[in-house]
Amino acid sequence: MHRGHRRHRVVAAVAAALALSLALAGCGIPEQVTVDAPPQVDRALPEETVQQLQEAVTHAMAAAGASGAIVGVWAPWSGSWVAGHGTQSPTDDTEVSADMRFRAARMTRPMVCDVLFDIADAGTVSLDDSVSDYVPGVPDLDDVTLGQLCDGTSGIGSYSGMLQPLWLSNPSRVWDPRELASYGLGQPRRFEPGTGYADSDAGFLLLGLALERATNSSLSTLLAEHVTSPLGLDATSLPAGSTTSVAADAPVLRGNHSLPGEGGALNCTEPLDITELSPSVGYADSGVVSDIYDLGKYMQALATGALDPEGLDRFDNPLPVYAGAPTWYTADGGAVLAGSLVGQFGSVPGYAVSAWSDPNSGLTVAVVLNNSATGGNVAAYLAWELAAIASKAPPASGETLPEAGLPWTAQQDREVIAKLAVCPIPEAEPQQ
């Protein structure tokens, strides 16, 4: 990972960025940041494409036990589709709308890395600094660097799998990031720092603590200064740990989690309402709140390097997400690389979230399912299925269908989703 020397900032946004911002969120990206992406055609996606997308969403919702979903698909050469689906819960028939906010789970990770890269460029820290320089009193961190925490190469373990039952039973408890991280630190190192990749939520908590110590600012303030304000992400923030509501001034997607019922099968008809939850359970790993428009805009910024300092090659050393992973499935710089897509996916109690963008074609997909029982995998495969469908959307007049660069098909993703299902999937109605 190369360190750069200054940030890409301009006084006026180019027409491509303006068109994209209008299509993604209905409001302009602030003038100081340019997203170098293809201009978005200002029309809805063709009806046939939308029908395929809708069928994919309905199938994945059933598999995940989600009563509701919000989806955004932007194909610059063809059109866009942003919609809410279903209801707030199986027992609440309030319809889901596209403007609802939700906990964005691991979308937090690349944003925290954005802050790291920016303050490193300013000379406040170095990517090669030891974590111990900023998080004192934690043993065995002298050989772990800030950059390794962002890249997922620290070898440190994770905490969420051990603690989720406590979050579900006591959602308002405010957790100290050091306490949460200690559960990951207490596990054996998976490898020597810098020699492999392994998912580590504890690593991102430590990175958040280090950034706060280095700047004497809260992580919430840092994200606003370095990420959300420059990009105009007005619906995106990191709430205080004591704030259990998703948003006080905007509609909220209810967050659900299906628990085991009699016989061990998940209760798909009466999920636990876990909308009210302290964001301290996620903090620098998965604490951010957002909406689907902001996620689409942020993913295009991430994929194109809009916030990266000049000279930074953020994805220059990608590593396999797991041993034996396909060559097209890697991770680096706080993000996951899947074929031609750059993105992230994961879950936090109540929500499963996935968002991706192709830096060349501009194809962007963002999804949230309002049941976290399947973790983030169903959301990830749904986003990939939607990307495969949208990649073939017919071009508008004067446009050209770009090369997709996706090493999977929509059918392959749908089959995986069916295998991951934790709730019954209704049989498709026969075509008339």
Side-chain angles (χ1 to χ4, degrees):
M1 181 178 293
H2 304 298
R3 288 186 290 277
H5 301 289
R6 67 179 177 84
R7 195 175 190 158
H8 292 299
R9 297 270 173 112
V10 295
V11 175
V14 295
L18 177 59
L20 173 66
S21 68
L22 290 173
L24 288 183
C27 59
I29 294 176
E31 292 183 339
Q32 67 269 30
V33 172
T34 297
V35 176
D36 185 15
Q40 174 73 47
V41 170
D42 186 15
R43 72 167 195 175
L45 284 168
E47 183 177 346
E48 182 178 352
T49 301
V50 171
Q51 181 178 351
Q52 295 177 49
L53 296 171
Q54 176 68 69
E55 291 174 353
V57 173
T58 301
H59 178 261
M61 287 171 59
S67 63
I70 306 174
V71 177
V73 179
W74 298 270
W77 66 91
S78 182
S80 60
W81 181 62
V82 183
H85 308 267
T87 62
Q88 291 282 50
S89 82
T91 58
D92 180 351
D93 61 2
T94 303
E95 293 185 355
V96 172
S97 59
D99 61 345
M100 288 178 169
R101 298 188 188 181
F102 49 86
R103 303 191 191 280
R106 290 182 184 174
M107 303 303 118
T108 309
R109 291 183 174 187
M111 295 182 184
V112 171
C113 290
D114 289 333
V115 175
L116 170 64
F117 297 143
D118 210 19
I119 69 170
D121 181 59
T124 305
V125 301
S126 167
L127 298 182
D128 297 325
D129 283 347
S130 169
V131 180
S132 296
D133 294 342
Y134 305 98
V135 189
V138 180
D140 301 325
L141 289 180
D142 291 342
D143 58 346
V144 177
T145 69
L146 300 181
Q148 289 167 349
L149 293 180
C150 168
D151 289 337
T153 59
S154 68
I156 295 171
S158 292
Y159 64 87
S160 56
M162 293 179 280
L163 298 177
Q164 180 164 279
L166 296 179
W167 303 337
L168 297 177
S169 63
N170 188 9
S172 62
R173 174 180 170 180
V174 178
W175 291 80
D176 186 314
R178 286 174 177 266
E179 180 181 1
L180 293 176
S182 69
Y183 286 87
L185 291 166
Q187 300 172 39
R189 285 279 184 91
R190 286 172 277 191
F191 44 75
E192 289 299 310
T195 62
Y197 171 84
D199 184 83
S200 175
D201 47 24
F204 278 92
L205 264 59
L206 293 170
L207 180 56
L209 289 170
L211 296 176
E212 290 187 332
R213 180 69 178 268
T215 61
N216 198 31
S217 296
S218 70
L219 185 59
S220 177
T221 298
L222 292 171
L223 289 172
E225 178 182 348
H226 297 273
V227 182
T228 63
S229 291
L231 289 174
L233 307 181
D234 298 331
T236 305
S237 65
L238 177 63
S242 58
T243 304
T244 59
S245 62
V246 173
D249 58 350
V252 172
L253 177 66
R254 171 171 154 168
N256 302 304
H257 188 92
S258 292
L259 297 170
E262 293 184 9
L266 292 188
N267 184 342
C268 298
T269 59
E270 298 176 314
L272 174 69
D273 182 354
I274 194 68
T275 312
E276 298 288 315
L277 175 75
S278 169
S280 65
V281 303
Y283 178 53
D285 175 75
S286 53
V288 159
V289 165
S290 191
D291 70 7
I292 211 71
Y293 298 99
D294 273 11
L295 282 194
K297 187 187 299 185
Y298 176 70
M299 277 302 138
Q300 284 216 336
L302 174 66
T304 59
L307 292 175
D308 293 346
E310 184 177 338
L312 175 72
D313 191 351
R314 183 168 185 158
F315 308 125
D316 68 339
N317 189 31
L319 296 173
V321 173
Y322 57 87
T327 57
W328 51 261
Y329 190 37
T330 57
D332 200 12
V336 177
L337 315 178
S340 60
L341 303 179
V342 177
Q344 192 47 275
F345 70 97
S347 67
V348 67
Y351 309 95
V353 186
S354 180
W356 307 82
S357 184
D358 184 328
N360 296 314
S361 71
L363 174 63
T364 302
V365 176
V367 305
V368 56
L369 302 173
N370 75 338
N371 194 319
S372 54
T374 57
N377 288 333
V378 169
Y381 281 101
L382 171 59
W384 293 350
E385 182 181 355
L386 298 178
I389 294 169
S391 70
K392 299 179 180 180
S397 177
E399 298 290 330
T400 302
L401 180 67
E403 188 173 332
L406 302 179
W408 60 77
T409 67
Q411 182 60 35
Q412 288 173 331
D413 292 320
R414 177 169 292 212
E415 291 172 358
V416 174
I417 290 172
K419 292 178 181 178
L420 294 172
V422 296
C423 294
I425 301 177
E427 292 186 10
E429 296 182 4
Q431 297 290 331
Q432 299 295 325

